[in-house]
Amino acid sequence: MARGEEGNGSPGCGPRTCGPVEVPTENEKEALDALRSIKRRVREIKRKLETAKEKEPLESELESLRKEWEVWQKRRESAARERMVILGHEDPG
């Protein structure tokens, strides 16, 4: 095996344990991007609600976005915890 294929070249080191850790991680970036997108859409809907005659569809979409936000927020928290474990700041258990 060539040097570096297992992280930094040290025996037993994998890329997740000995290589540089990207902060935020790809999983965190994905979740943060999704949360930003949801927030942007919520702002658009709230602006439309001010002048809309038909509010029910917009309110329904807001409720759907709230649920989606909760899912992505949990994924972001999980990714942040995973990063902390990789960095050795938290126990994996």
Side-chain angles (χ1 to χ4, degrees), residues 11 15 21 33-35 44 54-55 57-58 61 63-65 68 70-71 86 93:
V21 176
D33 288 344
L35 291 168
E44 291 171 9
E54 288 284 327
K55 295 186 184 231
L58 293 171
E61 187 175 354
E63 183 58 35
S64 174
L65 289 169
E68 191 176 344
E70 290 174 14
V71 169
I86 290 170

Side-chain angles (χ1 to χ4, degrees), residues 48-49 51-56:
K48 288 180 182 180
L49 273 171
T51 59
K53 294 179 183 183
E54 288 284 327
K55 295 186 184 231
E56 190 174 324

Side-chain angles (χ1 to χ4, degrees), residues 57-74:
L58 293 171
E59 290 170 348
S60 176
E61 187 175 354
L62 275 178
E63 183 58 35
S64 174
L65 289 169
R66 280 186 196 100
K67 291 176 183 172
E68 191 176 344
W69 177 274
E70 290 174 14
V71 169
W72 280 107
Q73 183 67 13
K74 287 178 183 172

